[in-house]
Amino acid sequence: MIHPDALGEFKDGAASLVALSDLLASRRVAPKTVAASLGSVIDACDAVLTSSATLTQDVLEATADYPEAAAEIRAAYDQTAAAVKTLENEAFAALAAPVDARVRLVLERAAYEACGRLATALLIGDLFILATKPRPVSVRVADVLSFGPTPAEGPQVIRATLQVPLEPITTSDPRLLRALVELGLQIVAKAGVEHPHIDAEVRSPTGACVRMHEAPGAVNASPPFGSNPVLLVRRVLFLGPVSNLWGAAAKMGGILTDLNAEQTAVTLELP
């Protein structure tokens, strides 16, 4: 069982670090203000490291039947803890020296790295807290892809075109399905797909199939399906593979997965 409190505490600490990272990156903030924030940085790092240990253990216990997924999960959380510990050490070191341009740059880089790893850990935590207690309902795939936060387009956002008619209906947990689609996009983007595309079709007699792959006609100068709606997903940095944990979370929710050897095309088979 994944304890919501552990994930909540982890999110609170992560939110504090993200806010402090923004402060460190702002050139409008004076060095004295940065120096005064170092204690808060250290406290936030401690909170993240403590809650991360509990969350990691919870997620690993939830995926005990999926050893390959557990290895990917442990690697992701170990990378997160290492990045946060590095930031904490740099903040401690900065307490003993004036916060000049060099120290500030070191802190900014360490905070950026830690926040990138935290985004990965949060995605995994959210995914498995949904997968451990799925709440399946009858829902249109198109409706699942139409809700959720929409980040502004930019280099840190994956932009996927959609070709999803109204007909495909699934009996799945909508939030879990949405999380699986978003992680599927991360997988194909990491594999080098430059123009991700999502399409869906009815599976007879029941269920649906959702595919994420390179958009047809992507070699042309103009984007394919230009008039089609799009799904925007904030890009998350993965140092290692995540396909096994993606497949494990899907299976826990009654969904089957498939992907090609290059991981440039992934499929969700929905009940």
Side-chain angles (χ1 to χ4, degrees):
M1 175 182 177
I2 300 176
H3 296 89
D5 288 349
L7 183 59
E9 291 171 4
F10 188 77
K11 286 184 175 180
D12 289 345
S16 296
L17 281 185
V18 169
L20 291 165
S21 177
D22 291 341
L23 183 146
L24 294 173
S26 175
R27 295 296 173 260
R28 297 181 179 179
V29 177
K32 287 185 178 179
T33 303
V34 173
S37 73
L38 293 175
S40 297
V41 171
I42 293 168
D43 289 344
C45 287
D46 281 340
V48 167
L49 290 170
T50 300
S51 56
S52 176
T54 302
L55 181 60
T56 303
Q57 187 60 36
D58 283 355
V59 176
L60 289 174
E61 288 179 1
T63 55
D65 293 336
Y66 306 91
E68 293 181 344
E72 294 177 353
I73 293 164
R74 182 176 293 281
Y77 279 107
D78 285 350
Q79 291 160 8
T80 300
V84 172
K85 190 63 180 176
T86 296
L87 173 58
E88 184 179 46
N89 291 339
E90 295 295 352
F92 267 119
L95 286 173
V99 180
D100 55 20
R102 185 195 66 80
V103 170
R104 189 165 182 166
L105 182 60
V106 170
L107 286 169
E108 182 182 341
R109 288 176 175 172
Y112 179 83
E113 180 74 12
C115 289
R117 298 284 167 257
L118 285 169
T120 302
L122 284 170
L123 186 153
I124 294 172
D126 281 331
L127 179 66
F128 281 100
I129 205 165
L130 293 171
T132 53
K133 291 186 176 181
R135 298 178 179 179
V137 297
S138 181
V139 64
R140 295 183 188 276
V141 174
D143 291 340
V144 172
L145 300 182
S146 66
F147 72 79
T150 303
E153 294 204 44
Q156 299 305 315
V157 170
I158 300 172
R159 183 182 192 274
T161 52
L162 300 174
Q163 197 172 41
V164 182
L166 292 177
E167 290 79 10
I169 296 177
T170 177
T171 303
S172 302
D173 183 319
R175 294 175 61 201
L176 176 59
L177 175 55
R178 173 64 182 246
L180 290 169
V181 168
E182 292 190 5
L183 183 51
L185 287 176
Q186 303 283 351
I187 291 172
V188 298
K190 183 175 182 289
V193 172
E194 295 184 4
H195 303 91
H197 180 69
I198 302 173
D199 57 50
E201 65 180 18
V202 176
R203 274 287 191 257
S204 181
T206 60
C209 173
V210 177
R211 291 179 293 265
M212 289 149 275
H213 53 91
E214 184 74 63
V219 294
N220 298 334
S222 59
F225 307 118
S227 61
N228 276 30
V230 297
L231 177 63
L232 303 178
V233 176
R234 193 169 302 281
R235 191 183 300 271
V236 177
L237 179 60
F238 294 104
L239 287 184
V242 292
S243 57
N244 288 313
L245 71 85
W246 179 70
K251 191 171 183 179
M252 290 166 70
I255 298 171
L256 299 180
T257 59
D258 188 28
L259 65 168
N260 63 0
E262 297 79 18
Q263 299 190 5
T264 55
V266 303
T267 302
L268 295 168
E269 294 281 353
L270 310 175

